[in-house]
Each structure stands twice: as structure tokens, then as C-alpha cells.
Amino acid sequence: MSTSKVKTAQLWSKGKEDLKKQLIDLKTELGALRTQKIAGGAASKLTKIHDIRKSIARVLTVINANQRTQLRIYYKNKKYLPLDLRPKQTRAIRRRLSKKEASRVTEKQKKKTLHFPMRKYAVKAEV
């Protein structure tokens, strides 16, 4: 069982299976420490429980980050992207018309601009 804190820098180089194995080890160690705490173990167990919980969080963070990068690679050239991989932005920006949609013109408007263009006036400059 591991006794020291897990360093995040070391986790990034590990593979998926190694991370899963380490996660299982940490969880079993946490379970053992909790039973020792109930049985009346030393106060030092409480700080160790804290360290193990944080180590589990670090491992899970690395696993999730790796999973997200793989999903980004998978969905890179697809038509649709999962909601959690899309840019957050603001609600108003997400609902706004796209540039293509905003630039579209109806048939009626096309005819109107064609037959009734903007009038040009010559203004005499005063000297």
C-alpha cells in the first residue's frame, strides 16, 4: 500500500490501465483506514485518510482529462460535438444566428433590392 501522497506530474505519464490499478489500490487503502478509524486507531490515521482521498481525486482528474482529450480527437472532424465538449460561451451567444444564417436573404428581399436600389444623390458643395 502507498504511504506518500500521489504526485500529479507522475500520473500524466502513466497509461489507462496503470491509473485504474492505482485507483483501485487507493480505494482499498482508504477502506482499510476507515475500518481502522472505527476500530479506534491512532489520530494520525485521520490525516492519512485526507491524503488518500486527495490522491484518489488526483488520479480521477488525470483519468477524466485523458478521456476528454481522446474524445476531442475522436469528434474533431465530426458534424456534431457532445455538449460538454462544446465551447461554453454565454446563453445569448449560443442562441444567436450563425453568420451563414444571418447573411441569408429572402426571395422577396432580393427582388426589392434589385428593383428599388438605394438612391444616389449628388450634393452641391458650397464654396
Side-chain angles (χ1 to χ4, degrees):
M1 302 231 174
S2 64
T3 53
S4 63
K5 289 185 201 174
V6 174
K7 298 277 191 275
T8 314
Q10 297 167 350
L11 294 176
W12 289 110
S13 60
K14 290 189 176 185
K16 186 178 176 182
E17 295 304 317
D18 293 336
L19 289 169
K20 281 187 177 180
K21 185 178 179 294
Q22 187 164 9
L23 184 65
I24 291 166
D25 292 343
L26 287 168
K27 283 185 176 182
T28 53
E29 188 174 352
L30 181 64
L33 285 170
R34 283 187 172 151
T35 54
Q36 288 173 7
K37 178 186 155 192
I38 292 167
S44 63
K45 300 289 183 213
L46 291 172
T47 56
K48 196 156 187 202
I49 287 173
H50 176 267
D51 292 344
I52 297 294
R53 286 180 64 232
K54 299 302 170 189
S55 296
I56 289 171
R58 285 186 191 99
V59 172
L60 285 172
T61 301
V62 171
I63 288 171
N64 289 332
N66 288 339
Q67 195 173 28
R68 285 177 70 82
T69 55
Q70 291 300 318
L71 283 170
R72 282 192 194 283
I73 292 166
Y74 176 76
Y75 283 105
K76 189 171 177 79
N77 295 320
K78 301 273 193 275
K79 185 176 181 183
Y80 297 110
L81 195 66
L83 291 175
D84 60 335
L85 296 180
R86 292 179 195 174
K88 180 81 168 90
Q89 299 173 325
T90 61
R91 193 166 184 258
I93 291 172
R94 290 195 306 264
R95 278 154 181 70
R96 196 163 56 189
L97 290 175
S98 68
K99 286 181 180 168
K100 186 177 178 182
E101 290 168 339
S103 66
R104 292 185 74 192
V105 182
T106 61
E107 276 300 314
K108 187 174 183 179
Q109 189 63 38
K110 284 179 192 171
K111 288 176 185 173
K112 200 173 180 183
T113 53
L114 179 70
H115 297 298
F116 303 100
M118 184 70 81
R119 293 187 179 173
K120 298 179 185 115
Y121 294 97
V123 180
K124 184 179 174 185
E126 291 185 41
V127 179

